[in-house]
Amino acid sequence: MTAPDPIDEEVRAADRDRYDAARAAEAPARADLVTLYALNLELARTPWRVSEPQLGAMRLQWWADLFEAAETGAAPRGAPLVERISDWVRRRRPPQALLRALAEARLRELDDTPMESAEALDAFLSGTARSRTASSRPSQAIQAASRISVPA
């Protein structure tokens, strides 16, 4: 019997709706979707893992830099999520701007001032895989990233 994948288990425990949606996807896309959902969870946890906003900004910048390094194969190794994201970036070649948007959208969570407007709130929610009407709808960046085709 194979041991359960820790990334699959983390997504299943933290976001069952998205995990189930990934399991319902076509076989080639399943692991990639779970990887993207795990990345989303990691980025979303940033404000709760740091003691100061500047540390959170540094952590999010580290992820943004990792996406670029992964494209060239220069990303660090060792952590399962880092390795899966690096592999996904090398295989799928998503636009760097799209990946940076995933990390940069989370910067707003480090700021405790109120949103300036409903439009600003909608933009934030759209960039962070949330919605005022459907909390499990993937962000535009995750939706676009999951549609990127593998180069021939």
Side-chain angles (χ1 to χ4, degrees):
M1 180 174 190
T2 9
D5 181 285
I7 293 173
D8 280 14
E9 291 300 309
E10 182 176 359
V11 172
R12 185 178 63 77
D15 195 339
R16 188 61 188 245
D17 290 342
R18 287 194 177 110
Y19 177 80
D20 289 344
R23 301 280 39 109
E26 294 181 18
R30 287 181 195 147
D32 288 346
L33 287 171
V34 169
T35 299
L36 288 171
Y37 292 150
L39 173 63
N40 185 58
L41 287 170
E42 181 66 27
L43 296 175
R45 291 176 178 149
T46 298
W48 291 273
R49 290 189 170 166
V50 297
S51 57
E52 297 176 28
Q54 186 63 30
L55 295 174
M58 291 169 61
R59 186 181 187 103
L60 292 169
Q61 183 62 50
W62 183 88
W63 278 102
D65 293 344
L66 172 96
F67 303 141
E68 196 171 315
E71 206 168 54
T72 64
R77 307 302 285 168
L81 181 57
V82 170
E83 290 186 11
R84 281 189 43 181
I85 290 294
S86 297
D87 176 63
W88 179 80
V89 168
R90 281 191 306 276
R91 285 183 298 106
R92 304 292 291 254
R93 299 285 183 201
Q96 286 296 316
L98 186 67
L99 294 174
R100 284 190 168 279
L102 289 172
E104 289 171 1
R106 296 291 178 176
L107 285 170
R108 182 60 177 92
E109 291 178 314
L110 299 169
D111 181 359
D112 61 1
T113 59
M115 295 282 176
E116 308 82 48
S117 65
E119 292 79 19
L121 176 61
D122 284 337
F124 166 75
L125 295 174
S126 177
T128 59
R130 298 180 190 155
S131 166
R132 286 195 285 175
T133 58
S135 64
S136 66
R137 184 170 48 177
S139 73
Q140 293 170 351
I142 288 178
Q143 289 173 347
S146 66
R147 290 190 298 267
I148 295 168
S149 60
V150 178

